[in-house]
Amino acid sequence: MIDHYRRVNDGKLRSSVFLLSLCSPVLYKLLCGQFKETESREACIEEMSREAFEGALRLWLGEAVSVSSVDELVEIGRAADRFGMLRVCEAVQDAICAQLNKDWRVCVDTLNCCDGSALEKAAAHARKIAVDCFDALCASERLCELSAKELCALLDNDELCVDKEEEVLELVARWCNVRGDGGDDGVRLVGMVRFGVMGRDYLEGRACGLFRGAVREAVEARV
């Protein structure tokens, strides 16, 4: 086999053209097609860590890979997806789902890390757990770390488990306040809260005071 150097942001990884071509259709086209990398025998892999690329390659080889967090698993999954290592990507998502089943508290980290990736199986499982454990997550303040897109997805779920709708409004208020006033995203989130099931005393006495700016105006219109 021909030795080949792979440059991965923070260094060079020596591997084989034959091996890399077998594990990834993307690398096969890059190394064996009509690209400048074919002649130079060196290709740059940007926007990922060396550890993530090596982790994906080692998993494809059937080797054990040690990780300390869901974030690291997701990065390996992103690398596998980017280079078309479908079985590795599937195995990583299974590992993430297994971790979620052991510890529901990592669902927020999983959703944040998976955002914008093709790891939809893992993200979907994390959303299901977040929906089932919504009350506990509200108490931990972790949901305030979610993007507007992911929080909207949770609030729009018909199976959302919450004791009182007031808790949802309070969560939206905290989410908005850590971002200034919440802006357009805050208005959109407020629109997903079921004001009709909340007590009148709460709505008239506290609800509006939780918000600022355009989001407050949106709440006042609903009250």
Side-chain angles (χ1 to χ4, degrees), residues 45-174:
I45 300 175
E46 299 176 332
E47 300 177 358
M48 76 172 59
S49 70
R50 175 182 182 133
E51 291 75 18
F53 180 77
E54 284 185 339
L57 185 57
R58 286 180 177 177
L59 286 176
W60 182 83
L61 289 169
E63 298 178 4
V65 175
S66 177
V67 296
S68 60
S69 67
V70 169
D71 299 34
E72 292 180 20
L73 272 174
V74 171
E75 287 306 307
I76 292 173
R78 283 178 178 270
D81 174 66
R82 176 175 172 182
F83 291 105
M85 303 178 191
L86 301 183
R87 291 184 179 178
V88 173
C89 191
E90 186 69 17
V92 168
Q93 293 193 86
D94 288 343
I96 293 172
C97 291
Q99 184 62 35
L100 286 164
N101 291 335
K102 292 179 182 178
D103 186 0
W104 58 267
R105 292 169 295 183
V106 301
C107 64
V108 173
D109 294 329
T110 302
L111 288 172
N112 284 335
C113 292
C114 288
D115 189 28
S117 76
L119 306 180
E120 185 51 39
K121 177 181 176 181
H125 193 57
R127 288 188 199 103
K128 181 182 184 304
I129 289 178
V131 166
D132 293 341
C133 303
F134 190 82
D135 281 328
L137 284 169
C138 279
S140 72
E141 303 288 333
R142 292 300 311 280
L143 290 176
C144 290
E145 300 172 19
L146 287 177
S147 66
K149 169 188 166 186
E150 287 295 348
L151 187 53
C152 280
L154 294 184
L155 298 185
D156 196 40
N157 194 305
D158 293 335
E159 298 180 0
L160 184 67
C161 296
V162 59
D163 290 335
K164 295 181 179 180
E165 194 68 15
E166 288 86 346
E167 294 179 13
V168 178
L169 188 65
E170 299 269 347
L171 166 65
V172 172
R174 293 195 300 274

Side-chain angles (χ1 to χ4, degrees), residues 4-7 17 20-21 24-46 53 82-83:
H4 195 88
Y5 280 101
R6 308 293 301 158
R7 189 170 61 215
V17 174
L20 294 175
S21 297
S24 165
V26 176
L27 291 174
Y28 170 74
K29 290 181 180 179
L30 185 65
L31 300 173
C32 302
Q34 301 300 315
F35 296 95
K36 63 181 181 180
E37 289 83 358
T38 305
E39 297 179 2
S40 66
R41 295 178 41 152
E42 182 175 278
C44 183
I45 300 175
E46 299 176 332
F53 180 77
R82 176 175 172 182
F83 291 105

Side-chain angles (χ1 to χ4, degrees), residues 1-5 14-20 41:
M1 294 190 293
I2 303 173
D3 285 333
H4 195 88
Y5 280 101
R14 188 178 187 182
S15 189
S16 157
V17 174
F18 180 71
L19 175 65
L20 294 175
R41 295 178 41 152

